[in-house]
Amino acid sequence: QVQLVESGGGLVQAGDSLRLSCAASRLTFSNYAMGWFRQAPEKEREREFVAAITWSGDMTYYGDSVKGRFTISRDNAKNTVYLQMNSLKPEDTAVYYCAADKATVALRLGTPADWGQGTQVTVSS
């Protein structure tokens, strides 16, 4: 079973930066598209698409609310995907989830096959 472990979350102030990491195991990483989603505390039933990256890293996709501020990247040699978050805002406060699927479209549609457990990001004003 695919295992995804997020790290790098924490408490920061508005305007700060943070980098999340997701270490993947039990899969052939270079065969998978990877992505990030988030779930805000007031939206218990909704996971918002944040970003996705193709298996090769040649294409990236972003949710409208993070475009220009967040950057997704991957290191296939380390089986790790990253989310660099700049200019953080209080509304970015959420649990951030890493996700994996062999099809990039599944990530963009919010239906990836595998999920991590999440890491909390809190942005104070």
Side-chain angles (χ1 to χ4, degrees):
Q1 185 175 354
V2 172
Q3 186 171 20
L4 304 172
V5 179
E6 303 94 335
S7 62
L11 172 64
V12 297
Q13 294 186 336
D16 286 351
S17 297
L18 204 59
R19 188 176 82 156
L20 304 183
S21 299
C22 172
S25 59
R26 302 176 185 176
L27 79 169
T28 303
F29 187 70
S30 59
N31 287 350
Y32 281 75
M34 301 296 295
W36 290 93
F37 292 79
R38 67 186 183 185
Q39 188 166 357
E42 68 276 13
K43 298 181 179 179
E44 294 182 358
R45 298 183 179 181
E46 177 183 343
R47 285 190 181 180
E48 177 189 5
F49 171 74
V50 175
I53 187 167
T54 55
W55 65 269
S56 64
D58 63 338
M59 295 290 290
T60 56
Y61 306 89
Y62 296 94
D64 289 340
S65 60
V66 306
K67 281 180 182 176
R69 299 188 299 122
F70 291 11
T71 303
I72 188 170
S73 62
R74 65 189 294 158
D75 186 337
N76 285 353
K78 295 183 177 179
N79 284 16
T80 301
V81 62
Y82 305 96
L83 185 68
Q84 177 66 42
M85 305 185 293
N86 298 331
S87 303
L88 282 162
K89 305 175 181 180
E91 51 263 43
D92 294 319
T93 295
V95 177
Y96 283 72
Y97 296 90
C98 178
D101 199 284
K102 290 187 176 179
T104 308
V105 65
L107 289 160
R108 299 185 69 188
L109 292 174
T111 58
D114 299 288
W115 295 90
Q117 293 299 306
T119 185
Q120 177 70 47
V121 172
T122 303
V123 184
S124 64
S125 57

